[in-house]
Amino acid sequence: MTLFHFFNCAILTFGPHAVYYSATPLSEYDTLGTSVKAALVYLGTALVKLVCLATFLKVSENDSFDPYQELLHALIGFIDVAGLYFALTQLTHRNISQNHKFQAVGLGWAFADSVLHRLAPLWVGSRGLEFTWDYILQGLEANANLVFSISLAALGSLMWLRKNKPKTLIPIIYACAGIVATMPSITSYLRRGLGWHFPKVVGFELFTSLMMAFISLQLFSACQRPSS
Amino acid sequence: MLNFENRDPTSESKYQIHEKKLIKNVLVELERLLIYANIPYPVYFAFEDDDIDAVLADVKRNDASGQPATATTGSYKLVVSGPEPKRIASPTITNIQGWLPGLKADGDLNQLPTIAIVASYDTFGTAPALSVGSDSNGSGIVALLEIARLFSLLYSNPKTRGRYNLLFGLTSGGPYNYNGTHKWLRSFDQRLRESIDYAICLNSIGSWDNKLWIHVSKPPENAFIKQIFEGFSTVAEELGIEVGLKHKKINISNPRVAWEHEQFSRLRVTAATLTELSAPPELLESTGGLSDSRHFVNEDAIVRSIKLVAESIARHVYGYQGKNIQIFADDTSLAVNAPYIRSWLDILSQTPRVAPFLSKNDPFVMALKKELQAHTHEVNVQHEVLDEMFTIYDLTKAKLNIYQVASVTFDLLLLLVLGSYLITLFTFLVITTRGLDDLISLFRRPPSRKVKAV
């Protein structure tokens, strides 16, 4: 729908990442390097996932929900978590606080995800004449994804980087991390198994992302109290 | 509106027939309007389906409510991609003739008399790619081919070969005052032209109920005309058909040629046109346009017409005028072949045949030639250039894309919304992570410089 619409959808999809970077103290501490490294780790993870999917998954003809295939899909999705672990713990970062580390990693992760999954369809599709709501919804999905990535990075940093955690909170942390990690499987179940339409799915994603962000914020601040 | 299901023609109710006639009349009116109107924009014809119906309903609803189009309702953009239409410089018309020689007795030096059966095969309409002309003149072509087939059976055996040559002509340029016939006749050898006893031109014989017309240019009192008409009437009576005779004088100074036989008459060859039309059509009328589709043609009518023509000619050839004999009787080896007629009619109803768009080696023209070759002894193809009556442009078919588009205002609004969203996000993040003071400090210029200037 012309270049104007493409521009609009692009700023909806990629704008929040830039805004997040510039608005929060991330820009003051110049954590761009961390984000870039996280993005590269995401690329590597995506490649590994692709190879695994191609090897283990069957191509289904119809769009129905196959539990066995979805389980396999979810298991392969955990490679994502492994990648995030690698990015958080194994990479050498400049001396930045944990607070900012997980934010930078989450931001880089989400940005790479958006570019990989959404830039090509946006460029090819939204410049045509026919108008669809799809690309706007895709942009909203990218926003939800950003929140999810940052929450997951926060929970991940809590799990692997923080040594002294209150005992009671540990299972909650792991449970929340589990939910966020399996988000893709949940959305695909909603779309195929229950037959939800795209707008409904995107609405659900936005809502859950805000919820999860709130919960992880509470958990993070709860874990922060003993050490501060 | 134009929804033709595959109805069995024999079980049609009166209401359905009436409905068909109404649709046909509307299409004829529409075509006449479009041909003569001066329209400054292109008109496209498309077949109805669910998607187009949805688009039309949407546009109508929007028009009725009077609201301006929003992103999701009503605003459509129609795009046709393709080259600019070019003028066709010298359109060719192709005439095909088939010759069945008669039986010459040994020692007979005189030229045998000839009977000609002619039909024009091309069409014209506002939408050339849809002008299939099932009745005008698909019915004529099919009848000619079948008559050729029947007589070739008779003429294959010297014992049953008649003492008349038979000349079959498939002419082009019909809608343009029978230009092709004119050129075809001018190419004839003088002796051949003089040997023609009479010519029968077939035009629109596919959708009549019980009356056919024979149109002539020579006055009805003329001996030849009387003989021909009586021959046809006798056979018609036996078949239960009513045949009427209509006389129209030709005016040499008037360029308009309404019937094909008039081209013969201008060269003093006795000729008549057999047709279901009672009045001569105007220029570009009844030329096989939009309304002339397969649904309006009745095979049975064509079969009966073939019987009429073949029988009348055969009786003339073999000298059985007035005798009660059926040469092409049903259930014999010389019976009229209905499946043959049906299959040719079906093919013709799917082939648009507007002459300027038929190239010299057009596959359909070649197919007609091949078919005539199967039934006649010698086939000749004549290529001519169509006389400049109209300026014709190519491009009969195009791909029309209909897009549902959102207006620019929608995108502007979206930009506004997104801008405010990003700004709110920015302020929210700054306030929560750096504090309100930081946000205010972004906008306040350092005051020290101002003081210094004063």
Side-chain angles (χ1 to χ4, degrees):
Chain A
M1 224 231 89
T2 71
L3 232 46
F4 194 5
H5 192 72
F6 167 73
F7 177 71
N8 278 341
C9 295
I11 61 176
L12 178 61
T13 316
F14 302 113
H17 300 87
V19 165
Y20 193 90
Y21 185 80
S22 55
T24 58
L26 286 179
S27 53
E28 280 180 17
Y29 290 103
D30 197 19
T31 50
L32 193 61
T34 315
S35 296
V36 170
K37 284 187 202 161
L40 290 171
V41 173
Y42 179 85
L43 278 170
T45 324
L47 221 66
V48 173
K49 265 173 68 180
L50 208 66
V51 171
C52 289
L53 281 173
T55 319
F56 295 115
L57 239 54
K58 292 191 303 245
V59 178
S60 65
E61 284 93 38
N62 51 354
D63 214 17
S64 67
F65 183 75
D66 185 0
Y68 181 64
Q69 295 296 317
E70 291 301 324
L71 193 65
L72 229 55
H73 220 111
L75 283 175
I76 292 176
F78 276 108
I79 296 177
D80 254 339
V81 182
L84 208 54
Y85 170 79
F86 181 80
L88 278 169
T89 57
Q90 306 297 78
L91 289 180
T92 53
H93 303 290
R94 282 180 31 222
N95 207 359
I96 41 178
S97 74
Q98 273 201 1
N99 209 343
H100 297 147
K101 193 194 271 190
F102 83 81
Q103 281 183 51
V105 168
L107 187 66
W109 195 264
F111 186 72
D113 180 88
S114 282
V115 168
L116 226 58
H117 289 259
R118 293 181 191 92
L119 183 63
L122 199 63
W123 176 251
V124 170
S126 67
R127 280 185 312 144
L129 279 173
E130 177 88 10
F131 174 76
T132 50
W133 288 101
D134 277 350
Y135 298 105
I136 298 176
L137 291 170
Q138 209 181 53
L140 291 172
E141 197 179 16
N143 278 280
N145 196 279
L146 173 63
V147 181
F148 272 133
S149 301
I150 294 183
S151 321
L152 190 59
L155 294 167
S157 84
L158 277 182
M159 286 195 292
W160 301 309
L161 292 178
R162 194 169 287 276
K163 301 303 168 197
N164 46 342
K165 298 184 282 266
K167 293 286 187 239
T168 46
L169 291 176
I170 292 179
I172 304 178
I173 293 173
Y174 278 97
C176 287
I179 292 174
V180 176
T182 52
M183 225 31 230
S185 304
I186 296 175
T187 44
S188 100
Y189 170 69
L190 287 175
R191 199 175 310 179
R192 298 203 197 149
L194 294 182
W196 282 18
H197 289 304
F198 199 32
K200 219 168 164 184
V201 174
V202 173
F204 172 76
E205 277 182 1
L206 283 170
F207 176 68
T208 21
S209 68
L210 289 172
M211 285 253 310
M212 294 315 309
F214 181 70
I215 294 173
S216 6
L217 186 67
Q218 295 300 336
L219 284 169
F220 202 83
S221 50
C223 289
Q224 196 117 334
R225 252 177 272 129
S227 53
S228 62
Chain B
M1 185 186 132
L2 307 173
N3 210 345
F4 296 125
E5 296 111 55
N6 234 340
R7 298 196 187 112
D8 183 15
T10 54
S11 66
E12 272 186 295
S13 65
K14 271 197 179 156
Y15 175 70
Q16 284 172 329
I17 298 176
H18 177 69
E19 215 180 62
K20 264 192 187 178
K21 285 217 169 80
L22 279 177
I23 293 176
K24 186 164 188 191
N25 289 340
V26 170
L27 282 173
V28 169
E29 274 298 319
L30 173 69
E31 196 156 22
R32 197 179 310 147
L33 271 169
L34 285 171
I35 287 181
Y36 288 108
N38 195 352
I39 306 174
Y41 36 77
V43 179
Y44 295 99
F45 293 87
F47 287 105
E48 187 181 6
D49 67 2
D50 290 328
D51 296 321
I52 286 192
D53 271 342
V55 170
L56 186 63
D58 235 352
V59 175
K60 274 191 192 166
R61 210 186 319 128
N62 247 50
D63 249 357
S65 65
Q67 281 170 349
T70 66
T72 44
T73 61
S75 180
Y76 290 97
K77 195 169 186 173
L78 278 67
V79 177
V80 170
S81 49
E84 192 74 28
K86 290 191 307 290
R87 184 174 157 264
I88 298 182
S90 12
T92 44
I93 46 175
T94 311
N95 296 319
I96 312 169
Q97 71 177 50
W99 179 255
L100 260 184
L103 186 69
K104 248 189 177 169
D106 291 330
D108 189 359
L109 296 166
N110 295 333
Q111 177 90 328
L112 280 180
T114 310
I115 295 179
I117 299 147
V118 194
S120 83
Y121 68 85
D122 68 328
T123 60
F124 181 84
T126 44
L130 294 175
S131 303
V132 293
S134 305
D135 200 11
S136 303
N137 193 12
S139 54
I141 304 171
V142 161
L144 187 143
L145 289 175
E146 177 65 2
I147 294 170
R149 187 189 73 87
L150 291 171
F151 276 99
S152 79
L153 286 174
L154 278 172
Y155 274 47
S156 55
N157 187 345
K159 291 203 190 125
T160 51
R161 200 175 295 161
R163 287 179 194 266
Y164 278 77
N165 298 320
L166 290 175
L167 174 63
F168 296 94
L170 283 167
T171 59
S172 179
Y176 322 105
N177 291 329
Y178 293 102
N179 196 241
T181 321
H182 169 93
K183 296 197 155 132
W184 183 49
L185 289 175
R186 294 275 176 312
S187 74
F188 276 7
D189 194 349
Q190 171 92 348
R191 280 198 308 156
L192 171 60
R193 205 186 310 151
E194 282 172 4
S195 77
I196 299 180
D197 242 20
Y198 66 89
I200 294 281
C201 307
L202 303 171
N203 182 356
S204 306
I205 46 176
S207 56
W208 53 275
D209 280 324
N210 40 28
K211 181 141 192 177
L212 278 175
W213 296 95
I214 298 184
H215 294 260
V216 290
S217 313
K218 291 194 175 165
E221 302 80 49
N222 183 295
F224 298 114
I225 301 290
K226 259 193 183 165
Q227 191 185 41
I228 298 167
F229 186 64
E230 263 164 30
F232 270 85
S233 301
T234 329
V235 179
E237 220 178 289
E238 288 168 24
L239 292 171
I241 307 170
E242 204 188 316
V243 181
L245 185 65
K246 276 223 158 147
H247 172 231
K248 176 177 175 281
K249 278 199 207 157
I250 47 171
N251 185 353
I252 308 264
S253 52
N254 185 0
R256 171 74 187 132
V257 178
W259 297 115
E260 195 161 13
H261 74 264
E262 291 183 21
Q263 294 287 15
F264 286 87
S265 302
R266 285 172 188 228
L267 293 173
R268 302 185 197 289
V269 177
T270 311
T273 301
L274 179 71
T275 176
E276 70 205 4
L277 303 166
S278 54
E282 302 290 321
L283 181 64
L284 301 180
E285 199 184 281
S286 285
T287 50
L290 266 183
S291 57
D292 203 343
S293 67
R294 179 72 180 85
H295 309 273
F296 298 119
V297 177
N298 186 358
E299 290 155 27
D300 204 42
I302 302 180
V303 168
R304 290 163 82 198
S305 317
I306 292 171
K307 279 187 187 166
L308 174 62
V309 177
E311 201 74 44
S312 312
I313 293 177
R315 287 191 198 184
H316 185 99
V317 163
Y318 296 107
Y320 289 134
Q321 285 103 319
K323 300 227 175 81
N324 191 1
I325 178 169
Q326 252 197 336
I327 301 175
F328 303 105
D330 291 334
D331 300 323
T332 64
S333 63
L334 289 175
V336 175
N337 191 346
Y340 181 79
I341 291 169
R342 196 175 312 134
S343 67
W344 268 99
L345 202 57
D346 287 340
I347 294 175
L348 285 165
S349 304
Q350 290 162 3
T351 319
R353 306 185 293 280
V354 180
F357 305 111
L358 294 174
S359 62
K360 268 195 190 167
N361 297 318
D362 184 82
F364 183 73
V365 176
M366 292 297 112
L368 281 179
K369 174 188 169 195
K370 197 166 161 215
E371 191 65 17
L372 214 52
Q373 264 171 340
H375 303 318
T376 54
H377 188 252
E378 196 186 313
V379 167
N380 281 59
V381 172
Q382 181 199 20
H383 297 293
E384 293 284 344
V385 175
L386 183 63
D387 279 346
E388 281 252 359
M389 203 170 143
F390 302 112
T391 316
I392 300 170
Y393 293 85
D394 65 7
L395 194 68
T396 55
K397 264 192 194 180
K399 192 162 184 176
L400 176 73
N401 295 304
I402 303 182
Y403 299 105
Q404 182 162 32
V405 290
S407 53
V408 181
T409 41
F410 171 77
D411 266 321
L412 281 170
L413 273 169
L414 187 64
L415 185 64
L416 233 67
V417 167
L418 285 177
S420 39
Y421 164 67
L422 286 176
I423 290 173
T424 355
L425 187 67
F426 185 81
T427 46
F428 172 73
L429 285 171
V430 168
I431 291 175
T432 50
T433 52
R434 287 196 270 187
L436 193 59
D437 297 326
D438 262 340
L439 179 68
I440 297 172
S441 71
L442 279 172
F443 296 108
R444 192 178 292 159
R445 289 196 194 87
S448 51
R449 274 193 217 145
K450 265 191 183 171
V451 172
K452 268 194 182 167
V454 170

